[in-house]
Amino acid sequence: MRRELLKAVYEEARTCVACPLHQSRTQVVFGSGHADADLMFVGEAPGANEDRMGLPFVGQAGKLLDRLLEEIEMDRKQVFVVNVLKCRPPDNRDPQPHEIATCQGYLFRQLDLIEPTVVCTLGNFATKLLRGDPTGISRLHGQPEVRTIGPRAVRLLPLLHPAAALYTPSNLETLRADFAQIPGLLGLGPPPQAAGEPEVAPELPALVSEALEEMRSALEQPEVVASPQAATTEQQQLGLF
Ligand code: URA
């Protein structure tokens, strides 16, 4: 059911025209990984390689992410990797506030469906969005905290963005040391789930919530077999294990 719901969100995102980034993207980069992952990474936005391949973190920063995962004896098939923005900003410029506001509903629905125990934010944009606070990554990296995102509490670990560690050895050492905390955090299991108001309560536009509701009920209908072409595109771009 979780996979089906994720695919339904992906299908919606794939044709999204809610912000001007759709005009310059090659394709939407929804995310990839294990739908039941306990560990989720949230990056910034697709770059040129990701835009071309339809998958997150496939360039140099992605190779570093793979290496750091390997060092803690994990791999990409065990985690889910997404970005704050699902479309590439032209010339890799920073995400703009209106783009984040428009796109964040997809991220919050991914978090909601995957239900990770540990969420690692990579860099400033993901950290600020998921903490609902403007404090920057250089002050926060490596300090895990329990945060309530949407309906659930997660263990949030802010990390430097791997791109910042590519050519700066001191950042790489910092990132590596912070990464070493991940197995211990996973070992703690999910944090206690407190009743009450979420700290970060994404306000999904009514239309998006209605669409999700429609999808939920549509998915309860008998399964429609996708065409081979659709399956290939979905497998390549969603990269769902
Ligand atoms: N940087 C990101 O933040 N995300 C990607 O997918 C690739 C590079």
Side-chain angles (χ1 to χ4, degrees):
M1 184 65 176
R2 175 178 285 165
R3 271 178 187 70
E4 280 71 20
L5 285 170
L6 263 179
K7 283 179 192 166
V9 181
Y10 161 69
E11 282 303 331
E12 188 187 329
R14 202 158 70 89
T15 52
C16 182
V17 291
C19 89
L21 291 182
H22 78 272
Q23 290 161 355
S24 50
R25 74 177 179 224
T26 304
Q27 58 194 316
V28 167
V29 180
F30 183 72
S32 74
H34 203 298
D36 304 318
D38 288 333
L39 175 59
M40 200 157 151
F41 289 91
V42 184
E44 183 177 312
N49 292 306
E50 290 77 19
D51 176 68
R52 190 160 31 83
M53 307 269 293
L55 292 169
F57 283 94
V58 289
Q60 286 308 308
K63 293 202 169 49
L64 177 55
L65 181 63
D66 291 347
R67 210 166 83 217
L68 290 163
L69 277 170
E70 204 179 302
E71 287 176 13
I72 57 167
E73 292 174 14
M74 293 188 78
D75 66 37
R76 288 280 280 266
K77 292 197 164 133
Q78 295 170 282
V79 307
F80 207 91
V81 181
V82 298
N83 283 305
V84 169
L85 293 189
K86 307 305 186 215
C87 296
R88 182 191 181 206
D91 304 319
N92 298 341
R93 63 154 169 74
D94 281 352
Q96 301 297 297
H98 67 278
E99 293 161 355
I100 297 173
T102 309
C103 206
Q104 66 181 16
Y106 293 120
L107 171 62
F108 285 118
R109 283 151 73 194
Q110 288 173 313
L111 284 159
D112 209 4
L113 290 172
I114 295 165
E115 298 185 300
T117 302
V118 177
V119 177
C120 293
T121 49
L122 301 171
N124 263 320
F125 288 93
T127 303
K128 290 179 183 181
L129 178 63
L130 294 190
R131 293 184 76 256
D133 177 295
T135 311
I137 190 64
S138 46
R139 279 189 47 199
L140 294 170
H141 73 86
Q143 298 170 55
E145 56 187 323
V146 173
R147 301 291 290 203
T148 302
I149 300 175
R152 290 178 55 254
V154 299
R155 300 189 189 280
L156 188 94
L157 178 64
L159 296 172
L160 297 186
H161 193 289
L166 281 177
Y167 307 106
T168 309
S170 59
N171 282 349
L172 178 56
E173 283 324 300
T174 303
L175 185 54
R176 184 171 270 135
D178 293 346
F179 240 79
Q181 297 189 51
I182 294 174
L185 286 174
L186 287 167
L188 291 175
Q193 301 294 324
E197 286 299 300
E199 285 163 31
V200 177
E203 281 187 23
L204 294 186
L207 270 177
V208 174
S209 315
E210 278 163 26
L212 188 57
E213 239 352 277
E214 263 172 42
M215 274 183 260
R216 277 187 209 275
S217 50
L219 284 161
E220 270 144 30
Q221 307 300 316
E223 203 173 320
V224 179
V225 179
S227 69
Q229 176 58 37
T232 306
T233 307
E234 179 184 283
Q235 278 162 2
Q236 282 178 350
Q237 294 182 6
L238 179 57
L240 196 57
F241 300 112

